[in-house]
Amino acid sequence: MLRLYNTLSHEKEEFKPIKEGKVGLYTCGPTVYWYGHVGNMRSYVFADILKRVLMYNGLDVKHVINVTDVGHLTSDADSGDDKMEAAASKEGKTANEISHFYFDAFRDDFHKLNLIEPFKWTWATEHIKDQISMIGILEKKGYTYKTSDGIYFDTSKFADYGKLSRKKIDGLEEGKRVEMGEKKNKTDFALWKFSGTPGERQQEWDSPWGLGFPGWHIECSAMSSKYLGKQFDLHTGGEDNMPIHHENEIAQSECAWGKKPWVKTWMHGAFLNIKGGKMSKSEGKIQTISELEKDGISPLAYRYFTFSAKYRKPLVWSEEAIASAVSSYKRLRNVIAGIENRAGVNKKYLKEFEARINDDLDMPGALAVLWKLVRDEKAEGKIGTIKKMDQIFGLRLLETEEVVVPEDVIVIAEEREKARADKDWAKSDELRDEIAAKGWSVKDGKNGFELEKI
Ligand code: AMP
Ligand code: ZN
């Protein structure tokens, strides 16, 4: 039995899909105005583990991740600049160039982490019609009003507002100054923003309400429902998405579609923090997976690192913590490489492992079971069991690392082979030294030379 913690009920619940055997899963994706950092990636590893656990339980998962390429303002409320427009003017590029450049970088890192590709990446700017149509439905049903800067959702008309974070409208965002502008209630939010000065924005579209662009929240609601239906199983995001973005998504979707609950299970990943606070793009202190790789830290060692805490617990990023994960991951691979392969699966360990993953994705617990198995000298069926476990870990535990010989080293080795054929031993020795200086050793076999890393 798979149990998952549902933010909506504040409880671990038995997970049962709406349609037998099938799961609709939506993950709030990146805002592509800058690089995705190791903090963001923790949220995607969490969603990947969830997806793998659902698949392991025999479910057919349809996973959608959005790409926010318009409408996310510097404040999660409705003030500040559009992050995409601000990045475009800072870098002197078009918003389209910015979004594609940073999405490509994001997706490279996504693949390096062995995260399974979603069924679809949904780009906000490719779904403007769907968003306009959803706002139209809300307008017809009387949930919207107009101010001088846009079309807003009236949260006082949705009695359940705040049900995810369990706060009353009046108490929401207490202590924070909320820019009221012409809003009727401080929790009201923009569905459509007007462009303002003509020609000032790069990204703007015609709508029944005038030239403008969609709000960030309506993007996720319109795109998730388009591909997963007007009611679906699971929605994930980082914990910061919960009190505003997801609360607003619920309000507009339940009012537009008339289905309750719009999403059955809401799951939120805790943050990866740096000492002294959160790691965030807006704070400007970030590190990416590709940067780690340049420093010799493999992306899969980072993946291993994220399993050191349960997904609902904060995790602190430090050089020592990642270094320790790097060495544990290496050790684990080494121990596994030394295991003699015998057929079969160890049922006892596999059962223990399944109990951990099915208990709200307890990855530290699952990792402990794996270590216990590899250290148990008497255990049978180790390799078969590790193979099954790695369907969840995604750590490529049984794949041997591919060694790629650089092209220039091959060229020198070929030259050396020719020198040997010509019996020019002095030249052959010289070339052997040259190869060694590049970190390779050359051996002469029956079928020509072989190169090995020194
Ligand atoms: P963004 O690209 O800023 O819209 O964020 C993409 C995803 O990363 C969202 O689900 C955020 O909640 C999540 N996120 C942002 N910062 C962190 C962090 N430091 N740790 C974990 N998740 C994060
Ligand atoms: Zn979202």
Side-chain angles (χ1 to χ4, degrees), residues 1-4 13-19 21-27 46-63 116 233-236 265 267 357-358 360-361 391-392:
M1 182 173 77
L2 171 60
R3 286 161 64 80
L4 297 173
E13 298 170 347
E14 181 183 351
F15 178 75
K16 284 212 185 101
I18 298 169
K19 275 193 213 128
K22 292 191 186 311
V23 180
L25 166 65
Y26 184 83
T27 295
F46 146 60
D48 185 67
I49 293 297
L50 170 63
K51 179 173 173 178
R52 286 169 182 262
V53 170
L54 292 163
M55 286 160 59
Y56 191 96
N57 281 277
L59 298 161
D60 179 8
V61 184
K62 189 169 180 184
H63 189 198
I116 303 174
D233 300 288
L234 278 157
H235 195 310
T236 75
T265 308
M267 294 181 74
I357 57 170
N358 284 341
D360 195 31
L361 322 177
Q391 286 176 15
I392 305 297

Side-chain angles (χ1 to χ4, degrees), residues 54-74:
L54 292 163
M55 286 160 59
Y56 191 96
N57 281 277
L59 298 161
D60 179 8
V61 184
K62 189 169 180 184
H63 189 198
V64 172
I65 308 182
N66 71 294
V67 181
T68 300
D69 57 343
V70 67
H72 196 165
L73 305 187
T74 44

Side-chain angles (χ1 to χ4, degrees), residues 27-33 37-44 68 72 83 216 236-241 269-273 278-281:
T27 295
C28 279
T31 308
V32 283
Y33 69 102
H37 53 70
V38 288
N40 297 127
M41 289 309 180
R42 183 181 184 205
S43 286
Y44 301 109
T68 300
H72 196 165
K83 294 183 184 190
W216 168 44
T236 75
E239 61 186 347
D240 60 326
N241 287 159
F271 259 43
L272 178 70
N273 296 310
K278 72 172 188 173
M279 179 179 283
S280 78
K281 292 187 230 184

Side-chain angles (χ1 to χ4, degrees), residues 41-42 68 86 101 111 163 166 180 186 192 213 219 226 238 252 285 294 310 343 362 379 440 444:
M41 289 309 180
R42 183 181 184 205
T68 300
F101 177 82
H111 289 155
K163 69 176 169 180
R166 295 209 172 158
M180 281 298 283
K186 57 185 176 185
W192 188 261
F213 60 99
E219 298 175 0
K226 175 171 177 146
Q252 63 201 4
K285 292 175 285 190
K294 278 190 201 127
K310 292 188 186 176
D362 173 8
W440 294 83
D444 304 297

Side-chain angles (χ1 to χ4, degrees), residues 348-357 362-376 385 389 393:
K348 175 180 151 268
Y349 280 103
L350 198 60
K351 226 171 138 198
E352 246 187 83
F353 169 80
E354 285 168 357
R356 290 299 89 233
I357 57 170
D362 173 8
M363 293 311 284
L367 200 55
V369 178
L370 171 63
W371 271 108
K372 211 161 73 172
L373 168 72
V374 299
R375 285 182 173 139
D376 182 346
T385 314
M389 290 178 174
F393 289 120

Side-chain angles (χ1 to χ4, degrees), residues 32 66 103 177 179 197 201 222 239-240 261 286 289 369 383:
V32 283
N66 71 294
F103 176 71
R177 196 173 61 90
E179 299 233 4
T197 322
R201 286 185 59 90
E239 61 186 347
D240 60 326
I286 65 160
I289 295 296
V369 178
I383 294 294

Side-chain angles (χ1 to χ4, degrees), residues 169-324:
I169 291 190
D170 280 349
L172 260 177
E173 294 297 291
E174 226 164 342
K176 262 197 190 174
R177 196 173 61 90
V178 175
E179 299 233 4
M180 281 298 283
E182 298 159 47
K183 287 203 271 193
K184 290 185 184 168
N185 311 288
K186 57 185 176 185
T187 47
D188 292 355
F189 54 93
L191 297 163
W192 188 261
K193 287 273 255 184
F194 302 137
S195 275
T197 322
E200 203 176 62
R201 286 185 59 90
Q202 293 187 23
Q203 297 176 301
E204 52 190 5
W205 294 265
D206 261 332
S207 80
W209 312 281
L211 203 61
F213 60 99
W216 168 44
H217 316 298
I218 197 81
E219 298 175 0
C220 280
S221 291
M223 296 193 293
S224 57
S225 295
K226 175 171 177 146
Y227 296 100
L228 302 174
K230 291 189 172 144
Q231 191 171 40
F232 61 91
D233 300 288
L234 278 157
H235 195 310
T236 75
E239 61 186 347
D240 60 326
N241 287 159
M242 193 263 281
I244 299 178
H245 182 48
H246 291 166
E247 213 66 90
N248 294 350
E249 276 201 60
I250 290 175
Q252 63 201 4
S253 306
E254 295 196 354
C255 292
W257 314 136
K259 301 254 188 198
K260 266 183 202 198
W262 169 53
V263 171
K264 262 183 80 181
T265 308
W266 286 84
M267 294 181 74
H268 294 97
F271 259 43
L272 178 70
N273 296 310
I274 39 179
K275 279 176 205 143
K278 72 172 188 173
M279 179 179 283
S280 78
K281 292 187 230 184
S282 50
E283 303 284 317
K285 292 175 285 190
I286 65 160
Q287 231 169 343
T288 68
I289 295 296
S290 293
E291 278 169 351
L292 292 186
E293 204 180 20
K294 278 190 201 127
D295 290 341
I297 297 167
S298 87
L300 293 182
Y302 167 84
R303 191 175 163 106
Y304 182 102
F305 161 77
T306 66
F307 303 152
S308 52
K310 292 188 186 176
Y311 77 89
R312 286 197 288 133
K313 293 265 184 299
L315 186 56
V316 177
W317 177 256
S318 68
E319 274 183 27
E320 302 81 62
I322 189 69
S324 146

